Amino acid sequence: MRTLLLVAMAGAVGLVAIGPAGAQEMPPAAPTELSAGTPIRPTDVYLLWRDNSDNEDTFRVERSTEGAGGPWTVLSQVPGQCLPSDATRCLYVDRELTPDTTYLYRVAAVNSADTSAYSNVASATTGALPTPAPGEIRGVVFHDANANGVRDTGEEGLSGSHISLLPAGESQTHTTGDLGEYGFGGLPVGDYTVLLDLHQRSFPACLGGISSFNPLERRSAACSTPLLPWKATTPATVNVTLNGGGARVDFGARPADVEVLIGNAILETDYAPRGTVIVALVSGQECGTTTVVGGSELDFDIEILGAGERTGCARPGDLVHFTLGGVPAISTATWRPFSDPREPVPFGFGNIVAMQQHAWYWFQGLGNDQPAAGTLVQAVINGVVCGEASVEAPPGSNIAGFSKLLVPSADLQPGCGRPGAMVSFLFDGVVTGDPIERRAGLQYINPFARPIFGTTGLPGAGSAPMGSAAPWPAALALAAGAALLASRAVLRRRR
């Protein structure tokens, strides 16, 4: 085995393979004693082999279902790190295989010089699906990644799917388990209908512990449970007749060609009221609509359709525009569909801001030199006061700020929102910071910011559509312990 060096860097621990200093790289020796079995889960094959070299970088694991003559499929390049208890024994797990199928495997060692000969060929047969007992209907719901209606190798079971059974009498509902399995037992002879309800699949999302004057992060714990859109690749309704025996019904499903977004919405001078319509537009075409729920911790969730669901709708990378109550939103999104059920957060989080007649400023500062509670803040354009707010400073905290200072357009207040107008901010009558150009939308300001790490200053002012880019205090709040679970952002906190 190559020597393993334990490395800790930036909170991560890893293993690094090192060889003799200045040694000429030689081809590694072939692995031996390859064995295969299904000791834990009947659809997972565990491979174990002996490592006979000390200079491999990886092991190449290959699989065949046709026999020892192949063809062979390369599964993985496994790092040359083996069992802690025995450095000459290495393990690899091939997961979520097709039930009742025989698989053959071989392994080779690889380094920069060459690839070794292959190990012996080992085989294992996955467990068969349970045969339904008399009076039983059972099956699985699986992620049909290639949408061919058949459960192929590597297609995982979908937990949390709802299966309904409609007999002549009272109906029953079952939620699939960890492996996507379900079952109904004790059924008398008769006719039944088995239904797959994919839209019952949901995913709780929370923004926990956020403490900020940012109006789009106004709640200490904001939660939502959006439905995740799936489509059946097999018939979603199956009729079954039991004549003293049992029956098996499997369902395949894939994620719909959509992106699910959740967030908050601001319309002109406040949060959008309940029932406000949100429309998603791609190249001017309507590709999704929803309404603001109001009174909830998060204001909306919306499905933005892809071209696979509606001709002319989004493709990956397309720009999505929004209207909120008919008002064009400043916020936009780059479309990416939900496509993998194993994604930790299978939706986007963001906010929609639609403001044509107002510039909405908010401020938050951290440190001991922030203005005191009650400090009057005024937005002034050419000597005209165009908006006011008061600083809040929670007792015992070094945080201070305000959530809302509105500067109306010239149409609403003459002299204020004219094109090119420069806004100055007065704290208790004292001009603080540099003037900035008035722009419609939600903007963060911090005239008290000081240089950090040799920079000329922190973000001072600017539009932060969807609450995603500029807010320095929000970043500090997150660093101080806020857990943003909805991290795959569009509108856009995109991972």
Side-chain angles (χ1 to χ4, degrees):
M1 275 297 295
R2 174 171 297 203
T3 303
L4 295 178
L5 175 65
L6 185 66
V7 177
M9 187 167 83
V13 178
L15 291 170
V16 177
I18 60 175
Q24 179 75 27
E25 192 81 270
M26 299 294 292
T32 57
E33 301 178 31
L34 174 65
S35 61
T38 59
I40 298 177
R41 287 177 51 177
T43 57
D44 292 353
V45 172
Y46 283 70
L47 303 177
L48 192 66
W49 65 88
R50 183 171 299 282
D51 176 18
N52 297 309
S53 60
D54 61 2
N55 63 338
E56 80 285 340
D57 294 320
T58 61
F59 293 100
R60 187 166 71 209
V61 181
E62 298 184 2
R63 178 183 67 206
S64 173
T65 57
E66 303 297 327
W72 293 89
T73 300
V74 177
L75 299 183
S76 180
Q77 293 283 119
V78 183
Q81 302 166 11
C82 297
L83 301 178
S85 59
D86 184 352
T88 67
R89 302 291 281 179
C90 301
L91 175 70
Y92 176 78
V93 183
D94 193 13
R95 300 187 184 279
E96 297 290 346
L97 298 168
T98 302
D100 198 19
T101 303
T102 298
Y103 295 92
L104 287 80
Y105 297 89
R106 65 184 187 182
V107 180
V110 180
N111 67 13
S112 60
D114 203 352
T115 299
S116 75
Y118 285 101
S119 68
N120 59 295
V121 174
S123 67
T125 300
T126 52
L129 294 173
T131 301
E136 184 178 59
I137 297 176
R138 65 164 56 242
V140 296
V141 180
F142 63 93
H143 175 209
D144 191 4
N146 59 8
N148 67 351
V150 177
R151 188 176 188 182
D152 298 309
T153 298
E155 293 184 338
E156 299 180 355
L158 290 175
S159 62
S161 298
H162 288 216
I163 305 294
S164 296
L165 183 69
L166 305 179
E170 185 178 353
S171 64
Q172 304 178 49
T173 299
H174 188 102
T175 301
T176 56
D178 291 342
L179 303 180
E181 77 282 3
Y182 75 92
F184 301 95
L187 303 175
V189 171
D191 296 327
Y192 298 85
T193 301
V194 189
L195 300 95
L196 170 64
D197 187 355
L198 288 168
H199 269 281
Q200 288 297 321
R201 294 179 57 80
S202 60
F203 191 104
C206 290
L207 302 176
I210 292 177
S211 176
S212 174
F213 286 95
N214 181 344
L216 294 174
E217 295 173 356
R218 69 194 188 279
R219 303 173 177 89
S220 60
C223 296
S224 179
T225 307
L227 297 177
L228 303 183
W230 287 72
K231 300 188 74 171
T233 59
T234 58
T237 301
V238 177
N239 296 319
V240 175
T241 299
L242 294 183
N243 290 315
R248 180 171 196 91
V249 179
D250 294 337
F251 295 98
R254 66 167 179 84
D257 191 30
V258 305
E259 179 163 27
V260 178
L261 306 178
I262 63 174
N264 292 309
I266 285 181
L267 177 60
E268 288 297 348
T269 63
D270 210 336
Y271 291 97
R274 180 183 181 88
T276 302
V277 176
I278 300 174
V279 177
L281 302 166
V282 178
S283 298
Q285 176 173 326
E286 186 267 305
C287 293
T289 184
T290 189
T291 56
V292 172
V293 294
S296 170
E297 292 172 321
L298 290 168
D299 292 337
F300 70 88
D301 65 74
I302 185 171
E303 294 180 8
I304 303 175
L305 304 181
E309 305 298 333
R310 181 178 297 173
T311 302
C313 280
R315 297 183 183 277
D318 281 354
L319 191 64
V320 183
H321 294 268
F322 300 89
T323 62
L324 180 61
V327 178
I330 297 168
S331 317
T332 59
T334 302
W335 191 82
R336 189 182 76 176
F338 163 52
S339 60
D340 188 339
R342 293 163 296 186
E343 287 185 0
V345 184
F347 49 81
F349 173 82
N351 304 290
I352 294 178
V353 177
M355 304 176 72
Q356 291 184 316
Q357 296 293 329
H358 295 84
W360 177 326
Y361 299 94
W362 68 278
F363 159 67
Q364 176 175 299
L366 297 173
N368 297 322
D369 298 326
Q370 303 305 318
T375 297
L376 177 65
V377 185
Q378 296 172 306
V380 177
I381 298 176
N382 282 347
V384 177
V385 176
C386 295
E388 293 184 342
S390 294
V391 171
E392 300 175 40
S397 171
N398 67 344
I399 183 175
F402 57 82
S403 296
K404 189 176 183 180
L405 189 160
L406 290 171
V407 176
S409 69
D411 294 336
L412 300 179
Q413 184 173 339
C416 286
R418 56 183 174 76
M422 300 299 293
V423 185
S424 296
F425 295 93
L426 281 64
F427 284 71
D428 273 348
V430 178
V431 175
T432 307
D434 297 327
I436 63 173
E437 184 176 355
R438 179 200 177 276
R439 294 199 302 267
L442 184 65
Q443 299 174 58
Y444 164 65
I445 61 169
N446 187 355
F448 297 90
R450 291 196 297 271
I452 286 185
F453 303 127
T455 64
T456 57
L458 298 176
S463 175
M466 319 304 284
S468 63
W472 168 260
L476 290 180
L478 290 173
L484 180 60
L485 296 186
S487 60
R488 197 198 114 200
V490 52
L491 316 181
R492 183 106 256 143
R493 286 191 180 103
R494 179 74 79 177
R495 67 179 181 182

